[in-house]
Amino acid sequence: MTTCLLYNHAQTRPARFYRIELAMNLFDEVSLLREWGIKGGKGCSTINIFGNLREASVAADRHRRRMLKRGYDRA
C-alpha cells in the first residue's frame, strides 16, 4: 500500500486535502483510492480498479501531478 497526502493552504479558502492511495484488493487487482475535501471535514472519495500495478501507478501519478499544478503541496 502506498499513500500520497497533499494539502492546499490558500489564504482565501479553508485548507484542503487530497489523498491518493494504491492497494491490492482480494481479487488480485490494484485499487486506486482518491479522497479530497476540506481539512477537518468530511471529504469525498472514489475508487478505480486496475488490472496491474503499472496502470494504477501511472493513473495515480497523473492525479498527483494535476493536484501539484493546482497549488497542492506535501505537508
Side-chain angles (χ1 to χ4, degrees):
M1 175 171 37
T2 304
T3 302
C4 177
L5 185 58
L6 304 171
Y7 290 103
N8 188 338
H9 298 287
Q11 298 294 329
T12 59
R13 300 186 308 191
R16 300 183 61 80
F17 72 92
Y18 194 87
R19 180 173 165 248
I20 304 168
E21 181 177 324
L22 289 174
M24 294 296 291
N25 64 20
L26 295 175
F27 304 108
D28 217 18
E29 300 167 326
V30 182
S31 299
L32 171 61
L33 169 67
R34 296 182 292 137
E35 294 180 310
W36 62 91
I38 297 174
K39 188 176 172 185
K42 184 179 177 186
C44 298
S45 65
T46 185
I47 298 175
N48 299 99
I49 306 296
F50 294 90
N52 59 48
L53 183 59
R54 182 185 264 322
E55 292 174 1
S57 296
V58 168
D61 198 40
R62 185 175 61 240
H63 290 295
R64 183 188 59 83
R65 281 194 312 266
R66 186 180 67 183
M67 289 299 114
L68 290 172
K69 286 182 183 178
R70 291 184 178 183
Y72 285 76
D73 195 12
R74 291 184 173 234

mmCIF file of all heavy atoms in Angstrom, residues 1-52:
data_model
loop_
_atom_site.group_PDB
_atom_site.id
_atom_site.type_symbol
_atom_site.label_atom_id
_atom_site.label_comp_id
_atom_site.label_asym_id
_atom_site.label_seq_id
_atom_site.Cartn_x
_atom_site.Cartn_y
_atom_site.Cartn_z
ATOM 1 N N MET A 1 0.845 -1.176 0.000
ATOM 2 C CA MET A 1 0.000 0.000 0.000
ATOM 3 C C MET A 1 0.892 1.241 0.000
ATOM 4 O O MET A 1 1.827 1.347 0.761
ATOM 5 C CB MET A 1 -0.897 -0.028 1.244
ATOM 6 C CG MET A 1 -1.715 1.205 1.394
ATOM 7 S SD MET A 1 -2.981 1.199 2.679
ATOM 8 C CE MET A 1 -2.289 0.317 4.014
ATOM 9 N N THR A 2 0.574 2.168 -0.859
ATOM 10 C CA THR A 2 1.303 3.422 -0.978
ATOM 11 C C THR A 2 0.319 4.575 -0.874
ATOM 12 O O THR A 2 -0.743 4.535 -1.481
ATOM 13 C CB THR A 2 2.022 3.492 -2.340
ATOM 14 O OG1 THR A 2 2.864 2.358 -2.459
ATOM 15 C CG2 THR A 2 2.839 4.742 -2.451
ATOM 16 N N THR A 3 0.687 5.598 -0.098
ATOM 17 C CA THR A 3 -0.208 6.741 0.108
ATOM 18 C C THR A 3 0.538 8.041 -0.148
ATOM 19 O O THR A 3 1.696 8.189 0.232
ATOM 20 C CB THR A 3 -0.753 6.749 1.552
ATOM 21 O OG1 THR A 3 -1.424 5.522 1.788
ATOM 22 C CG2 THR A 3 -1.712 7.897 1.774
ATOM 23 N N CYS A 4 -0.150 8.991 -0.779
ATOM 24 C CA CYS A 4 0.372 10.335 -1.004
ATOM 25 C C CYS A 4 -0.673 11.313 -0.466
ATOM 26 O O CYS A 4 -1.840 11.247 -0.863
ATOM 27 C CB CYS A 4 0.616 10.564 -2.488
ATOM 28 S SG CYS A 4 1.177 12.226 -2.872
ATOM 29 N N LEU A 5 -0.287 12.182 0.446
ATOM 30 C CA LEU A 5 -1.205 13.146 1.047
ATOM 31 C C LEU A 5 -0.734 14.551 0.712
ATOM 32 O O LEU A 5 0.403 14.923 0.995
ATOM 33 C CB LEU A 5 -1.263 12.956 2.560
ATOM 34 C CG LEU A 5 -2.261 13.790 3.330
ATOM 35 C CD1 LEU A 5 -3.678 13.544 2.829
ATOM 36 C CD2 LEU A 5 -2.182 13.459 4.812
ATOM 37 N N LEU A 6 -1.616 15.333 0.083
ATOM 38 C CA LEU A 6 -1.296 16.697 -0.334
ATOM 39 C C LEU A 6 -2.235 17.679 0.348
ATOM 40 O O LEU A 6 -3.399 17.347 0.616
ATOM 41 C CB LEU A 6 -1.437 16.828 -1.855
ATOM 42 C CG LEU A 6 -0.621 15.866 -2.704
ATOM 43 C CD1 LEU A 6 -1.037 15.966 -4.156
ATOM 44 C CD2 LEU A 6 0.857 16.137 -2.548
ATOM 45 N N TYR A 7 -1.748 18.900 0.620
ATOM 46 C CA TYR A 7 -2.558 19.948 1.238
ATOM 47 C C TYR A 7 -2.495 21.215 0.405
ATOM 48 O O TYR A 7 -1.485 21.479 -0.254
ATOM 49 C CB TYR A 7 -2.057 20.279 2.652
ATOM 50 C CG TYR A 7 -2.314 19.189 3.652
ATOM 51 C CD1 TYR A 7 -1.298 18.345 4.066
ATOM 52 C CD2 TYR A 7 -3.585 18.996 4.187
ATOM 53 C CE1 TYR A 7 -1.523 17.345 4.980
ATOM 54 C CE2 TYR A 7 -3.821 17.998 5.106
ATOM 55 C CZ TYR A 7 -2.784 17.183 5.499
ATOM 56 O OH TYR A 7 -3.026 16.185 6.408
ATOM 57 N N ASN A 8 -3.553 21.997 0.462
ATOM 58 C CA ASN A 8 -3.593 23.306 -0.180
ATOM 59 C C ASN A 8 -3.967 24.318 0.901
ATOM 60 O O ASN A 8 -5.091 24.323 1.395
ATOM 61 C CB ASN A 8 -4.626 23.323 -1.310
ATOM 62 C CG ASN A 8 -4.555 24.592 -2.122
ATOM 63 O OD1 ASN A 8 -4.070 25.608 -1.658
ATOM 64 N ND2 ASN A 8 -5.057 24.534 -3.334
ATOM 65 N N HIS A 9 -3.007 25.160 1.281
ATOM 66 C CA HIS A 9 -3.205 26.139 2.348
ATOM 67 C C HIS A 9 -3.369 27.544 1.769
ATOM 68 O O HIS A 9 -2.650 28.464 2.122
ATOM 69 C CB HIS A 9 -2.017 26.122 3.318
ATOM 70 C CG HIS A 9 -1.830 24.817 4.010
ATOM 71 N ND1 HIS A 9 -2.657 24.374 5.001
ATOM 72 C CD2 HIS A 9 -0.914 23.840 3.821
ATOM 73 C CE1 HIS A 9 -2.251 23.189 5.421
ATOM 74 N NE2 HIS A 9 -1.196 22.841 4.712
ATOM 75 N N ALA A 10 -4.311 27.725 0.875
ATOM 76 C CA ALA A 10 -4.544 29.044 0.267
ATOM 77 C C ALA A 10 -5.089 30.002 1.325
ATOM 78 O O ALA A 10 -5.858 29.612 2.198
ATOM 79 C CB ALA A 10 -5.527 28.930 -0.889
ATOM 80 N N GLN A 11 -4.694 31.261 1.257
ATOM 81 C CA GLN A 11 -5.115 32.260 2.238
ATOM 82 C C GLN A 11 -6.592 32.623 2.099
ATOM 83 O O GLN A 11 -7.233 33.005 3.064
ATOM 84 C CB GLN A 11 -4.261 33.527 2.087
ATOM 85 C CG GLN A 11 -2.797 33.296 2.352
ATOM 86 C CD GLN A 11 -2.529 32.918 3.801
ATOM 87 O OE1 GLN A 11 -3.237 33.337 4.699
ATOM 88 N NE2 GLN A 11 -1.511 32.119 4.021
ATOM 89 N N THR A 12 -7.136 32.503 0.908
ATOM 90 C CA THR A 12 -8.505 32.946 0.669
ATOM 91 C C THR A 12 -9.551 31.857 0.901
ATOM 92 O O THR A 12 -10.735 32.151 0.904
ATOM 93 C CB THR A 12 -8.651 33.442 -0.786
ATOM 94 O OG1 THR A 12 -8.301 32.376 -1.671
ATOM 95 C CG2 THR A 12 -7.734 34.628 -1.033
ATOM 96 N N ARG A 13 -9.103 30.604 1.104
ATOM 97 C CA ARG A 13 -10.031 29.486 1.293
ATOM 98 C C ARG A 13 -9.599 28.652 2.487
ATOM 99 O O ARG A 13 -8.449 28.714 2.916
ATOM 100 C CB ARG A 13 -10.023 28.567 0.064
ATOM 101 C CG ARG A 13 -10.420 29.231 -1.206
ATOM 102 C CD ARG A 13 -10.524 28.232 -2.317
ATOM 103 N NE ARG A 13 -9.307 27.423 -2.428
ATOM 104 C CZ ARG A 13 -9.037 26.618 -3.423
ATOM 105 N NH1 ARG A 13 -9.879 26.478 -4.391
ATOM 106 N NH2 ARG A 13 -7.930 25.926 -3.477
ATOM 107 N N PRO A 14 -10.508 27.829 3.004
ATOM 108 C CA PRO A 14 -10.100 26.892 4.060
ATOM 109 C C PRO A 14 -9.077 25.888 3.512
ATOM 110 O O PRO A 14 -9.054 25.605 2.313
ATOM 111 C CB PRO A 14 -11.396 26.171 4.436
ATOM 112 C CG PRO A 14 -12.504 26.985 3.875
ATOM 113 C CD PRO A 14 -11.945 27.771 2.734
ATOM 114 N N ALA A 15 -8.245 25.354 4.394
ATOM 115 C CA ALA A 15 -7.238 24.374 3.977
ATOM 116 C C ALA A 15 -7.929 23.140 3.411
ATOM 117 O O ALA A 15 -8.925 22.667 3.943
ATOM 118 C CB ALA A 15 -6.356 23.997 5.158
ATOM 119 N N ARG A 16 -7.396 22.627 2.313
ATOM 120 C CA ARG A 16 -7.983 21.472 1.638
ATOM 121 C C ARG A 16 -6.954 20.344 1.578
ATOM 122 O O ARG A 16 -5.756 20.581 1.667
ATOM 123 C CB ARG A 16 -8.422 21.859 0.233
ATOM 124 C CG ARG A 16 -9.464 22.986 0.234
ATOM 125 C CD ARG A 16 -9.968 23.332 -1.135
ATOM 126 N NE ARG A 16 -10.621 22.226 -1.810
ATOM 127 C CZ ARG A 16 -11.878 21.818 -1.591
ATOM 128 N NH1 ARG A 16 -12.594 22.430 -0.684
ATOM 129 N NH2 ARG A 16 -12.384 20.822 -2.260
ATOM 130 N N PHE A 17 -7.436 19.110 1.423
ATOM 131 C CA PHE A 17 -6.542 17.965 1.306
ATOM 132 C C PHE A 17 -6.905 17.137 0.083
ATOM 133 O O PHE A 17 -8.024 17.197 -0.426
ATOM 134 C CB PHE A 17 -6.592 17.091 2.566
ATOM 135 C CG PHE A 17 -7.871 16.313 2.707
ATOM 136 C CD1 PHE A 17 -7.975 15.024 2.210
ATOM 137 C CD2 PHE A 17 -8.967 16.863 3.348
ATOM 138 C CE1 PHE A 17 -9.147 14.302 2.336
ATOM 139 C CE2 PHE A 17 -10.143 16.159 3.483
ATOM 140 C CZ PHE A 17 -10.234 14.863 2.980
ATOM 141 N N TYR A 18 -5.932 16.349 -0.377
ATOM 142 C CA TYR A 18 -6.136 15.415 -1.478
ATOM 143 C C TYR A 18 -5.264 14.205 -1.174
ATOM 144 O O TYR A 18 -4.053 14.338 -0.972
ATOM 145 C CB TYR A 18 -5.721 16.047 -2.809
ATOM 146 C CG TYR A 18 -6.195 15.282 -4.017
ATOM 147 C CD1 TYR A 18 -7.453 15.519 -4.547
ATOM 148 C CD2 TYR A 18 -5.398 14.323 -4.626
ATOM 149 C CE1 TYR A 18 -7.910 14.829 -5.648
ATOM 150 C CE2 TYR A 18 -5.845 13.629 -5.732
ATOM 151 C CZ TYR A 18 -7.101 13.882 -6.240
ATOM 152 O OH TYR A 18 -7.553 13.184 -7.328
ATOM 153 N N ARG A 19 -5.872 13.029 -1.086
ATOM 154 C CA ARG A 19 -5.153 11.813 -0.719
ATOM 155 C C ARG A 19 -5.283 10.793 -1.829
ATOM 156 O O ARG A 19 -6.367 10.558 -2.350
ATOM 157 C CB ARG A 19 -5.747 11.249 0.569
ATOM 158 C CG ARG A 19 -5.093 10.010 1.053
ATOM 159 C CD ARG A 19 -5.647 9.647 2.429
ATOM 160 N NE ARG A 19 -5.294 8.287 2.736
ATOM 161 C CZ ARG A 19 -6.156 7.297 2.824
ATOM 162 N NH1 ARG A 19 -7.434 7.515 2.669
ATOM 163 N NH2 ARG A 19 -5.754 6.092 3.090
ATOM 164 N N ILE A 20 -4.156 10.172 -2.183
ATOM 165 C CA ILE A 20 -4.111 9.136 -3.213
ATOM 166 C C ILE A 20 -3.499 7.894 -2.576
ATOM 167 O O ILE A 20 -2.439 7.980 -1.941
ATOM 168 C CB ILE A 20 -3.247 9.575 -4.409
ATOM 169 C CG1 ILE A 20 -3.755 10.896 -4.981
ATOM 170 C CG2 ILE A 20 -3.217 8.493 -5.469
ATOM 171 C CD1 ILE A 20 -2.804 11.538 -5.953
ATOM 172 N N GLU A 21 -4.156 6.756 -2.743
ATOM 173 C CA GLU A 21 -3.659 5.520 -2.146
ATOM 174 C C GLU A 21 -3.778 4.365 -3.142
ATOM 175 O O GLU A 21 -4.822 4.194 -3.771
ATOM 176 C CB GLU A 21 -4.448 5.192 -0.885
ATOM 177 C CG GLU A 21 -3.995 3.947 -0.184
ATOM 178 C CD GLU A 21 -4.766 3.701 1.095
ATOM 179 O OE1 GLU A 21 -5.102 4.686 1.785
ATOM 180 O OE2 GLU A 21 -5.046 2.543 1.388
ATOM 181 N N LEU A 22 -2.726 3.583 -3.250
ATOM 182 C CA LEU A 22 -2.724 2.376 -4.064
ATOM 183 C C LEU A 22 -2.701 1.172 -3.131
ATOM 184 O O LEU A 22 -1.921 1.135 -2.179
ATOM 185 C CB LEU A 22 -1.486 2.307 -4.958
ATOM 186 C CG LEU A 22 -1.424 3.272 -6.119
ATOM 187 C CD1 LEU A 22 -0.069 3.167 -6.799
ATOM 188 C CD2 LEU A 22 -2.520 2.993 -7.105
ATOM 189 N N ALA A 23 -3.556 0.167 -3.396
ATOM 190 C CA ALA A 23 -3.594 -1.033 -2.564
ATOM 191 C C ALA A 23 -4.073 -2.216 -3.396
ATOM 192 O O ALA A 23 -4.891 -2.063 -4.299
ATOM 193 C CB ALA A 23 -4.519 -0.825 -1.374
ATOM 194 N N MET A 24 -3.563 -3.385 -3.066
ATOM 195 C CA MET A 24 -4.035 -4.617 -3.700
ATOM 196 C C MET A 24 -5.364 -5.003 -3.060
ATOM 197 O O MET A 24 -5.564 -4.841 -1.860
ATOM 198 C CB MET A 24 -3.023 -5.750 -3.486
ATOM 199 C CG MET A 24 -1.692 -5.525 -4.171
ATOM 200 S SD MET A 24 -1.794 -5.468 -5.963
ATOM 201 C CE MET A 24 -2.178 -7.151 -6.332
ATOM 202 N N ASN A 25 -6.300 -5.523 -3.871
ATOM 203 C CA ASN A 25 -7.560 -5.985 -3.300
ATOM 204 C C ASN A 25 -7.592 -7.514 -3.316
ATOM 205 O O ASN A 25 -6.640 -8.172 -3.730
ATOM 206 C CB ASN A 25 -8.767 -5.362 -4.024
ATOM 207 C CG ASN A 25 -8.865 -5.773 -5.471
ATOM 208 O OD1 ASN A 25 -8.304 -6.768 -5.900
ATOM 209 N ND2 ASN A 25 -9.602 -4.987 -6.246
ATOM 210 N N LEU A 26 -8.674 -8.098 -2.851
ATOM 211 C CA LEU A 26 -8.772 -9.549 -2.712
ATOM 212 C C LEU A 26 -8.841 -10.287 -4.041
ATOM 213 O O LEU A 26 -8.663 -11.501 -4.092
ATOM 214 C CB LEU A 26 -10.006 -9.902 -1.874
ATOM 215 C CG LEU A 26 -9.959 -9.432 -0.427
ATOM 216 C CD1 LEU A 26 -11.277 -9.717 0.258
ATOM 217 C CD2 LEU A 26 -8.819 -10.095 0.312
ATOM 218 N N PHE A 27 -9.122 -9.599 -5.117
ATOM 219 C CA PHE A 27 -9.273 -10.225 -6.420
ATOM 220 C C PHE A 27 -8.021 -10.090 -7.278
ATOM 221 O O PHE A 27 -8.066 -10.195 -8.498
ATOM 222 C CB PHE A 27 -10.484 -9.630 -7.145
ATOM 223 C CG PHE A 27 -11.745 -9.765 -6.337
ATOM 224 C CD1 PHE A 27 -12.320 -8.651 -5.742
ATOM 225 C CD2 PHE A 27 -12.336 -10.995 -6.155
ATOM 226 C CE1 PHE A 27 -13.476 -8.776 -4.990
ATOM 227 C CE2 PHE A 27 -13.487 -11.130 -5.408
ATOM 228 C CZ PHE A 27 -14.056 -10.020 -4.819
ATOM 229 N N ASP A 28 -6.877 -9.823 -6.626
ATOM 230 C CA ASP A 28 -5.587 -9.687 -7.298
ATOM 231 C C ASP A 28 -5.573 -8.536 -8.299
ATOM 232 O O ASP A 28 -4.944 -8.613 -9.354
ATOM 233 C CB ASP A 28 -5.201 -11.000 -7.986
ATOM 234 C CG ASP A 28 -3.709 -11.263 -7.909
ATOM 235 O OD1 ASP A 28 -3.052 -10.640 -7.062
ATOM 236 O OD2 ASP A 28 -3.221 -12.069 -8.707
ATOM 237 N N GLU A 29 -6.288 -7.472 -7.973
ATOM 238 C CA GLU A 29 -6.304 -6.242 -8.762
ATOM 239 C C GLU A 29 -5.741 -5.126 -7.893
ATOM 240 O O GLU A 29 -5.583 -5.282 -6.690
ATOM 241 C CB GLU A 29 -7.725 -5.891 -9.180
ATOM 242 C CG GLU A 29 -8.396 -6.956 -10.017
ATOM 243 C CD GLU A 29 -9.890 -6.716 -10.134
ATOM 244 O OE1 GLU A 29 -10.514 -6.226 -9.190
ATOM 245 O OE2 GLU A 29 -10.420 -7.047 -11.196
ATOM 246 N N VAL A 30 -5.466 -3.994 -8.500
ATOM 247 C CA VAL A 30 -4.945 -2.840 -7.763
ATOM 248 C C VAL A 30 -6.027 -1.775 -7.695
ATOM 249 O O VAL A 30 -6.612 -1.398 -8.710
ATOM 250 C CB VAL A 30 -3.674 -2.266 -8.430
ATOM 251 C CG1 VAL A 30 -3.123 -1.111 -7.618
ATOM 252 C CG2 VAL A 30 -2.627 -3.348 -8.595
ATOM 253 N N SER A 31 -6.307 -1.300 -6.479
ATOM 254 C CA SER A 31 -7.313 -0.257 -6.266
ATOM 255 C C SER A 31 -6.612 1.079 -6.102
ATOM 256 O O SER A 31 -5.630 1.198 -5.372
ATOM 257 C CB SER A 31 -8.124 -0.539 -4.996
ATOM 258 O OG SER A 31 -8.790 -1.760 -5.106
ATOM 259 N N LEU A 32 -7.137 2.089 -6.775
ATOM 260 C CA LEU A 32 -6.659 3.467 -6.632
ATOM 261 C C LEU A 32 -7.750 4.239 -5.907
ATOM 262 O O LEU A 32 -8.817 4.478 -6.454
ATOM 263 C CB LEU A 32 -6.374 4.091 -7.997
ATOM 264 C CG LEU A 32 -6.074 5.589 -8.019
ATOM 265 C CD1 LEU A 32 -4.834 5.905 -7.202
ATOM 266 C CD2 LEU A 32 -5.929 6.081 -9.439
ATOM 267 N N LEU A 33 -7.490 4.578 -4.648
ATOM 268 C CA LEU A 33 -8.439 5.328 -3.823
ATOM 269 C C LEU A 33 -8.020 6.786 -3.821
ATOM 270 O O LEU A 33 -6.856 7.109 -3.575
ATOM 271 C CB LEU A 33 -8.448 4.801 -2.393
ATOM 272 C CG LEU A 33 -9.190 5.636 -1.358
ATOM 273 C CD1 LEU A 33 -10.687 5.625 -1.644
ATOM 274 C CD2 LEU A 33 -8.898 5.153 0.030
ATOM 275 N N ARG A 34 -8.967 7.687 -4.121
ATOM 276 C CA ARG A 34 -8.716 9.127 -4.059
ATOM 277 C C ARG A 34 -9.738 9.754 -3.120
ATOM 278 O O ARG A 34 -10.929 9.488 -3.228
ATOM 279 C CB ARG A 34 -8.827 9.770 -5.439
ATOM 280 C CG ARG A 34 -7.781 9.271 -6.401
ATOM 281 C CD ARG A 34 -7.862 9.944 -7.748
ATOM 282 N NE ARG A 34 -9.088 9.558 -8.436
ATOM 283 C CZ ARG A 34 -9.870 10.402 -9.108
ATOM 284 N NH1 ARG A 34 -9.580 11.670 -9.207
ATOM 285 N NH2 ARG A 34 -10.953 9.963 -9.706
ATOM 286 N N GLU A 35 -9.261 10.556 -2.186
ATOM 287 C CA GLU A 35 -10.126 11.300 -1.263
ATOM 288 C C GLU A 35 -9.742 12.764 -1.314
ATOM 289 O O GLU A 35 -8.561 13.092 -1.429
ATOM 290 C CB GLU A 35 -9.952 10.787 0.161
ATOM 291 C CG GLU A 35 -10.416 9.377 0.374
ATOM 292 C CD GLU A 35 -10.214 8.936 1.804
ATOM 293 O OE1 GLU A 35 -9.082 9.114 2.314
ATOM 294 O OE2 GLU A 35 -11.167 8.430 2.403
ATOM 295 N N TRP A 36 -10.734 13.661 -1.190
ATOM 296 C CA TRP A 36 -10.464 15.087 -1.211
ATOM 297 C C TRP A 36 -11.539 15.803 -0.413
ATOM 298 O O TRP A 36 -12.615 15.290 -0.187
ATOM 299 C CB TRP A 36 -10.416 15.618 -2.640
ATOM 300 C CG TRP A 36 -11.712 15.461 -3.384
ATOM 301 C CD1 TRP A 36 -12.731 16.363 -3.457
ATOM 302 C CD2 TRP A 36 -12.144 14.325 -4.135
ATOM 303 N NE1 TRP A 36 -13.769 15.876 -4.209
ATOM 304 C CE2 TRP A 36 -13.426 14.608 -4.638
ATOM 305 C CE3 TRP A 36 -11.583 13.089 -4.425
ATOM 306 C CZ2 TRP A 36 -14.138 13.706 -5.410
ATOM 307 C CZ3 TRP A 36 -12.293 12.212 -5.194
ATOM 308 C CH2 TRP A 36 -13.549 12.524 -5.684
ATOM 309 N N GLY A 37 -11.203 17.012 0.036
ATOM 310 C CA GLY A 37 -12.168 17.819 0.775
ATOM 311 C C GLY A 37 -11.487 18.872 1.616
ATOM 312 O O GLY A 37 -10.299 19.157 1.470
ATOM 313 N N ILE A 38 -12.258 19.454 2.529
ATOM 314 C CA ILE A 38 -11.749 20.478 3.437
ATOM 315 C C ILE A 38 -11.125 19.792 4.639
ATOM 316 O O ILE A 38 -11.705 18.866 5.200
ATOM 317 C CB ILE A 38 -12.883 21.429 3.873
ATOM 318 C CG1 ILE A 38 -13.420 22.175 2.647
ATOM 319 C CG2 ILE A 38 -12.396 22.407 4.931
ATOM 320 C CD1 ILE A 38 -14.633 23.021 2.927
ATOM 321 N N LYS A 39 -9.942 20.238 5.030
ATOM 322 C CA LYS A 39 -9.217 19.642 6.141
ATOM 323 C C LYS A 39 -10.066 19.727 7.412
ATOM 324 O O LYS A 39 -10.579 20.782 7.754
ATOM 325 C CB LYS A 39 -7.894 20.375 6.340
ATOM 326 C CG LYS A 39 -6.983 19.737 7.334
ATOM 327 C CD LYS A 39 -5.665 20.475 7.374
ATOM 328 C CE LYS A 39 -4.796 19.988 8.476
ATOM 329 N NZ LYS A 39 -3.578 20.768 8.611
ATOM 330 N N GLY A 40 -10.221 18.586 8.075
ATOM 331 C CA GLY A 40 -11.020 18.528 9.288
ATOM 332 C C GLY A 40 -12.480 18.211 9.042
ATOM 333 O O GLY A 40 -13.238 17.987 9.978
ATOM 334 N N GLY A 41 -12.891 18.187 7.792
ATOM 335 C CA GLY A 41 -14.282 17.912 7.452
ATOM 336 C C GLY A 41 -14.422 16.573 6.749
ATOM 337 O O GLY A 41 -13.459 15.860 6.505
ATOM 338 N N LYS A 42 -15.648 16.238 6.439
ATOM 339 C CA LYS A 42 -15.917 15.009 5.718
ATOM 340 C C LYS A 42 -15.599 15.236 4.244
ATOM 341 O O LYS A 42 -16.074 16.183 3.634
ATOM 342 C CB LYS A 42 -17.374 14.613 5.884
ATOM 343 C CG LYS A 42 -17.706 13.303 5.243
ATOM 344 C CD LYS A 42 -19.150 12.938 5.446
ATOM 345 C CE LYS A 42 -19.438 11.638 4.708
ATOM 346 N NZ LYS A 42 -20.838 11.303 4.734
ATOM 347 N N GLY A 43 -14.815 14.364 3.666
ATOM 348 C CA GLY A 43 -14.414 14.512 2.277
ATOM 349 C C GLY A 43 -15.192 13.600 1.351
ATOM 350 O O GLY A 43 -16.064 12.847 1.769
ATOM 351 N N CYS A 44 -14.861 13.673 0.091
ATOM 352 C CA CYS A 44 -15.439 12.803 -0.939
ATOM 353 C C CYS A 44 -14.383 11.780 -1.326
ATOM 354 O O CYS A 44 -13.193 11.990 -1.132
ATOM 355 C CB CYS A 44 -15.819 13.624 -2.164
ATOM 356 S SG CYS A 44 -17.056 14.862 -1.849
ATOM 357 N N SER A 45 -14.819 10.669 -1.892
ATOM 358 C CA SER A 45 -13.852 9.664 -2.308
ATOM 359 C C SER A 45 -14.349 8.916 -3.534
ATOM 360 O O SER A 45 -15.546 8.894 -3.825
ATOM 361 C CB SER A 45 -13.576 8.679 -1.175
ATOM 362 O OG SER A 45 -14.734 7.942 -0.878
ATOM 363 N N THR A 46 -13.395 8.306 -4.226
ATOM 364 C CA THR A 46 -13.697 7.473 -5.369
ATOM 365 C C THR A 46 -12.643 6.370 -5.457
ATOM 366 O O THR A 46 -11.501 6.560 -5.028
ATOM 367 C CB THR A 46 -13.746 8.286 -6.678
ATOM 368 O OG1 THR A 46 -14.168 7.434 -7.731
ATOM 369 C CG2 THR A 46 -12.430 8.897 -7.018
ATOM 370 N N ILE A 47 -13.038 5.210 -5.982
ATOM 371 C CA ILE A 47 -12.125 4.083 -6.140
ATOM 372 C C ILE A 47 -12.144 3.650 -7.594
ATOM 373 O O ILE A 47 -13.210 3.460 -8.178
ATOM 374 C CB ILE A 47 -12.530 2.903 -5.237
ATOM 375 C CG1 ILE A 47 -12.469 3.306 -3.767
ATOM 376 C CG2 ILE A 47 -11.621 1.701 -5.503
ATOM 377 C CD1 ILE A 47 -12.963 2.234 -2.831
ATOM 378 N N ASN A 48 -10.953 3.496 -8.163
ATOM 379 C CA ASN A 48 -10.799 2.969 -9.514
ATOM 380 C C ASN A 48 -10.027 1.657 -9.417
ATOM 381 O O ASN A 48 -9.072 1.556 -8.655
ATOM 382 C CB ASN A 48 -10.045 3.946 -10.410
ATOM 383 C CG ASN A 48 -10.770 5.256 -10.557
ATOM 384 O OD1 ASN A 48 -10.435 6.225 -9.885
ATOM 385 N ND2 ASN A 48 -11.760 5.298 -11.408
ATOM 386 N N ILE A 49 -10.433 0.661 -10.199
ATOM 387 C CA ILE A 49 -9.801 -0.654 -10.180
ATOM 388 C C ILE A 49 -8.975 -0.825 -11.457
ATOM 389 O O ILE A 49 -9.448 -0.530 -12.559
ATOM 390 C CB ILE A 49 -10.861 -1.769 -10.097
ATOM 391 C CG1 ILE A 49 -11.811 -1.551 -8.911
ATOM 392 C CG2 ILE A 49 -10.204 -3.146 -10.036
ATOM 393 C CD1 ILE A 49 -11.148 -1.614 -7.566
ATOM 394 N N PHE A 50 -7.749 -1.351 -11.300
ATOM 395 C CA PHE A 50 -6.856 -1.587 -12.423
ATOM 396 C C PHE A 50 -6.385 -3.035 -12.398
ATOM 397 O O PHE A 50 -6.282 -3.649 -11.341
ATOM 398 C CB PHE A 50 -5.645 -0.645 -12.357
ATOM 399 C CG PHE A 50 -6.009 0.796 -12.535
ATOM 400 C CD1 PHE A 50 -6.333 1.585 -11.446
ATOM 401 C CD2 PHE A 50 -6.047 1.366 -13.796
ATOM 402 C CE1 PHE A 50 -6.679 2.913 -11.599
ATOM 403 C CE2 PHE A 50 -6.392 2.695 -13.963
ATOM 404 C CZ PHE A 50 -6.713 3.468 -12.857
ATOM 405 N N GLY A 51 -6.071 -3.562 -13.562
ATOM 406 C CA GLY A 51 -5.639 -4.947 -13.682
ATOM 407 C C GLY A 51 -4.216 -5.200 -13.235
ATOM 408 O O GLY A 51 -3.877 -6.318 -12.860
ATOM 409 N N ASN A 52 -3.373 -4.163 -13.266
ATOM 410 C CA ASN A 52 -1.993 -4.352 -12.821
ATOM 411 C C ASN A 52 -1.468 -3.076 -12.164
ATOM 412 O O ASN A 52 -2.054 -2.007 -12.272
ATOM 413 C CB ASN A 52 -1.088 -4.786 -13.983
ATOM 414 C CG ASN A 52 -1.053 -3.793 -15.112
ATOM 415 O OD1 ASN A 52 -0.873 -2.596 -14.890
ATOM 416 N ND2 ASN A 52 -1.229 -4.269 -16.341
#
